[in-house]
Amino acid sequence: MLGKQWSALLKLIQDVSAVFSITINSFLILLILTKSPKQLGAYKWLMIYISVFEILYSILDVVLVPQHYSHGPTFLVIVGIQHKLFGPAGLTVLNSFYWGFFGASMAVFAVHFVYRWLVVSENPLLETFNGWKIWIWFSVPLWYGLTWVCTGYFLSAPNNATSHFIRDNVKEIFELEFDEYIYLGPFLYERMEDGSLQLHVMPFFGLGIISATIVSSIIIVLVFGYLCYDRINRLVATTQASAKFQKLQRQLFYALVIQTLIPFVLMHIPAAIMFAFVFLDIDLGVYSAVVSMTIAIYPAVDPIPTLVIVENYRKTILRMLGCFSKTNPMVSSTGDMSKI
C-alpha cells in the first residue's frame, strides 16, 4: 500500500503544481509583453521561450502522471494506462517526450548564460540574437531534447530482460499488473546465476549520451556564468557605465543564477542521486517518486525569481496588490535599459 499512497501524493502534487505553473507562467508572459521596456531586446523572447517551455512541461506532467522508479540496476519512468486519453503506443511516445523536456531544460539556461555574457561584454555575436537568427539559439534546447527523446524511445525501450526483472516488484509495490502500465528506462546489467555480471550495451550507450549532454550543459553554465560575473565586476571597477546599468546587469545575472539553481536542485541533483544508486545496485524502490515530485514542482517555482528580482515586474505586482500607488515618490524610473 505504500506505493499507492506515494502515487496519490504524487498525483496531488502534480495537479497543484501544474495549475500554479500555468497560472504564474502565463502571468509572467503577460508582464513581459506589457510591462517590459520597448528596448528590452532579445531577452524578452528568451524569457517568453522559457515560460512557454515550462507551461508545456506542466501539461505533459499532468497528462502522463509519470512515476520515476528505481529497482536495482535499472531506473524507469512508469506511466499507468488506465483512465488516459492515449493508448500504450501513444503514451510511450509521450513518455519519450517527457524525457526530452528534462534534457532540454538544461540547455535552456545554458543559452541564457551565453546571452547574458554577450550583453555585458558587448560582443558582436549579440547580433545573432536579432531577427530570424534567434531561432538558431532557440533550436539548441530542441536538439538536447531530441537526444533525450531518442535515448528514451530507442535505447531505453522495454525488452524481455527488463520486463522480467521489474514485473513482480512493480506489482508488489504499486499493485499494477504488467498490462496496466508502460515504461521506459535502461536496465544496465544483470547478475547471472554464477555471480557474473552481464552488461547491456545499448542502455549503457544511451546513458553515456545523456551524461554527455548533462556535462556539456553544466560546463557552459559554469564557464559563461563566471565570465559574466567577472565582466560585471570589471565594469563596476574600471568603467564609467551608469550606476543604473550596472545595477540592472547584476539584477538580471543574479535572477538567472537563482533561476538556474532551481532545476539543478529540484531536477538534476535528485536524478543524479538516483543514477548513482542504480550504478551501485541499491534499490530506492518507491522512494524514487521523490524525483517525480521535485520535477513536477520545478516549473511552478522557476518563474518566481524573475517576478521578484526584475524591478519592472516586481513593482507592477506590488501595485496590483495595492502596496503602493503609481504616484508614490518611492517608485522611480528603471533608467536606460536599451542594453539589456
Side-chain angles (χ1 to χ4, degrees), residues 208-219:
I209 292 175
I210 61 178
S211 296
T213 64
I214 293 173
V215 171
S216 65
S217 175
I218 292 174
I219 290 175

Side-chain angles (χ1 to χ4, degrees), residues 50-334:
I50 194 171
S51 289
V52 172
F53 172 84
E54 290 171 351
I55 289 173
L56 294 176
Y57 206 164
S58 297
I59 293 173
L60 185 60
D61 203 43
V62 169
V63 170
L64 289 179
V65 195
Q67 298 190 83
H68 291 75
Y69 178 64
S70 166
H71 174 49
T74 184
F75 62 90
L76 311 174
V77 181
I78 298 175
V79 176
I81 64 176
Q82 294 181 327
H83 312 298
K84 293 293 197 307
L85 297 174
F86 304 93
L91 290 173
T92 300
V93 172
L94 290 177
N95 195 354
S96 69
F97 274 85
Y98 179 78
W99 283 53
F101 269 85
F102 188 97
S105 67
M106 297 177 293
V108 167
F109 294 101
V111 171
H112 273 59
F113 272 98
V114 173
Y115 177 77
R116 288 252 54 86
W117 177 74
L118 293 176
V119 170
V120 298
S121 64
E122 299 181 336
N123 193 292
L125 288 176
L126 186 61
E127 290 298 318
T128 59
F129 278 87
N130 294 328
W132 66 268
K133 295 178 183 178
I134 196 174
W135 289 101
I136 298 175
W137 291 100
F138 284 173
S139 70
V140 174
L142 300 182
W143 285 110
Y144 268 67
L146 182 61
T147 300
W148 280 69
V149 168
C150 293
T151 299
Y153 192 81
F154 295 108
L155 301 181
S156 303
N159 56 63
N160 291 334
T162 307
S163 298
H164 177 74
F165 183 72
I166 58 100
R167 183 195 305 259
D168 293 339
N169 198 257
V170 171
K171 181 179 179 180
E172 177 184 354
I173 292 180
F174 295 103
E175 299 181 16
L176 288 173
E177 298 293 339
F178 186 70
D179 60 354
E180 293 179 330
Y181 62 91
I182 58 95
Y183 71 86
L184 291 175
F187 184 20
L188 300 180
Y189 57 85
E190 56 184 315
R191 196 174 299 277
M192 310 307 290
E193 292 183 358
D194 61 0
S196 63
L197 294 179
Q198 179 180 343
L199 299 181
H200 296 163
V201 177
M202 294 306 289
F204 259 103
F205 180 64
L207 191 61
I209 292 175
I210 61 178
S211 296
T213 64
I214 293 173
V215 171
S216 65
S217 175
I218 292 174
I219 290 175
I220 291 171
V221 168
L222 292 178
V223 169
F224 283 92
Y226 171 77
L227 290 174
C228 188
Y229 177 78
D230 180 65
R231 179 64 179 178
I232 291 173
N233 282 341
R234 286 195 288 114
L235 269 176
V236 173
T238 65
T239 74
Q240 298 300 317
S242 73
K244 290 182 178 178
F245 175 72
Q246 296 169 9
K247 177 183 177 182
L248 177 61
Q249 296 307 319
R250 286 186 177 277
Q251 280 183 355
L252 294 174
F253 176 71
Y254 289 128
L256 181 57
V257 169
I258 295 173
Q259 198 173 27
T260 304
L261 285 174
I262 290 173
F264 267 78
V265 172
L266 293 180
M267 296 172 62
H268 305 136
I269 292 178
I273 292 173
M274 186 175 71
F275 291 172
F277 274 70
V278 168
F279 273 112
L280 296 172
D281 196 8
I282 300 175
D283 198 341
L284 283 176
V286 70
Y287 297 105
S288 306
V290 171
V291 179
S292 304
M293 295 176 186
T294 56
I295 290 176
I297 294 171
Y298 146 69
V301 301
D302 196 60
I304 295 175
T306 302
L307 290 171
V308 173
I309 296 176
V310 177
E311 193 172 19
N312 274 28
Y313 308 148
R314 181 177 70 248
K315 288 182 176 180
T316 300
I317 294 171
L318 292 176
R319 290 192 188 102
M320 294 176 64
L321 296 174
C323 292
F324 55 80
S325 67
K326 293 182 180 180
T327 58
N328 192 318
M330 293 297 291
V331 181
S332 61
S333 171
T334 57

